[in-house]
Amino acid sequence: MSVISKSPRVFLLLATVAASGSLAAQTQDSPPPADVSATYSAPPAEQPQMTQGPEIKGIISARSGDKMQVTADDGTNTVIVINDSTRIKASKGLFGLNSSKLAATSLLNGLPVTVKTMRSGDELVASQINLQGKDLKTAAMIRNGTDQRFAEQTAATEALRGRMGDIDQYNIKSTTNVNFDTGKAVLSPQAKNDLCAAAASAEKMNNALLLVVGYTDSTGSPEFNQVLSEKRAGSVVNYLQQACGWKPYRMLTPTGMSEADPMASNDTVEGKAQNRRVAVNVLVSKGLDGL
């Protein structure tokens, strides 16, 4: 004789036992669930192997992010990557920078450089950049506008500029042209002599100012020639002030005119040689001439 209890506790106990039996059966008959917590990682992409690249010489003609463009004497442009491993060195010590590593901010447009490179895929990466301290100084002067606001500009200097400010016509008393090699902004011994002679002659004139204008021949791109003409003008300004003793406040702001106003035809070697020049003009305002 069977006795079936209607107590809720009995039903709960039976349900629990049945569930336990079912789980035990599943444990024995079914394999454990797979572990899906693991993730797949792709192997890292292989980095291009660095190989020795060419040595690049020229003038920095553009900067953008971690890249710079160097333009050679023949007008060829090369884009070079600069990274944290790039060494930037100035020789012939500007402010004691003989062997120090300079910051990438030292790489100014118009600066002549020699770059040792490594090739990484399709890119050239700079391993070392060498520059001249004196060139860095000139490039910095050009970048800052060469407005001649030096310590020597005293109240008398400002007074002289005030007298000249409203007068836009000048008498050109003389012009001295100094010439340069192709793609270069280095003064020859003859050019240095001519510049100091021009400064000495202008010193004898009352109220004389110097206007320095740089030019190039037609070799190279317009962008390259603009930078080069400014650099030549900067070299002349430096020499006039530092070696010839010409006062900064008696210098009008120099400028570069690239290929404009050629003295001769660029179709001949001789003509190009005449066009690679800086003109030093001795000016006296018509309103002050003879005072």
Side-chain angles (χ1 to χ4, degrees), residues 38-213:
T39 58
Y40 173 75
S41 296
E46 292 186 4
Q47 297 295 326
Q49 186 174 4
M50 302 279 277
T51 58
Q52 189 69 42
E55 184 175 87
I56 306 297
K57 293 184 178 181
I59 292 177
I60 298 174
S61 52
R63 284 293 312 275
S64 178
D66 63 347
K67 296 181 180 180
M68 69 176 179
Q69 177 177 274
V70 176
T71 303
D73 289 347
D74 62 0
T76 303
N77 293 325
T78 304
V79 176
I80 304 172
V81 176
I82 305 164
N83 59 25
D84 292 338
S85 299
T86 302
R87 291 181 51 115
I88 305 171
K89 299 175 64 178
S91 60
K92 296 186 179 177
L94 174 67
F95 308 125
L97 301 176
N98 283 337
S99 59
S100 299
K101 182 177 179 181
L102 307 181
T105 52
S106 302
L107 301 175
L108 306 177
N109 283 351
L111 187 64
V113 291
T114 301
V115 187
K116 295 180 180 179
T117 69
M118 300 294 290
R119 190 176 296 278
S120 176
D122 295 332
E123 292 184 324
L124 289 179
V125 180
S127 58
Q128 182 168 312
I129 302 173
N130 295 322
L131 53 94
Q132 298 286 332
K134 59 184 178 62
D135 291 332
L136 179 58
K137 183 176 181 180
T138 301
M141 183 187 73
I142 292 173
R143 179 185 181 183
N144 292 335
T146 326
D147 63 355
Q148 309 307 325
R149 294 191 179 276
F150 301 142
E152 294 183 53
Q153 284 186 285
T154 58
T157 302
E158 294 301 329
L160 176 60
R161 286 221 182 259
R163 293 172 63 193
M164 302 296 296
D166 297 330
I167 304 173
D168 59 1
Q169 292 185 333
Y170 300 87
N171 287 328
I172 300 178
K173 306 304 258 183
S174 66
T175 299
T176 299
N177 290 301
V178 295
N179 299 102
F180 296 82
D181 292 334
T182 303
K184 305 295 184 182
V186 178
L187 293 168
S188 67
Q190 182 62 53
K192 292 177 180 179
N193 290 336
D194 291 345
L195 289 175
C196 284
S201 177
E203 189 65 42
K204 300 175 183 178
M205 303 179 193
N206 292 330
N207 303 306
L209 302 177
L210 296 186
L211 173 63
V212 176
V213 185

Side-chain angles (χ1 to χ4, degrees), residues 28 35 92-93 115 139 209 228 251:
Q28 293 175 359
D35 182 6
K92 296 186 179 177
V115 187
L209 302 177
L228 181 58
M251 183 86 66

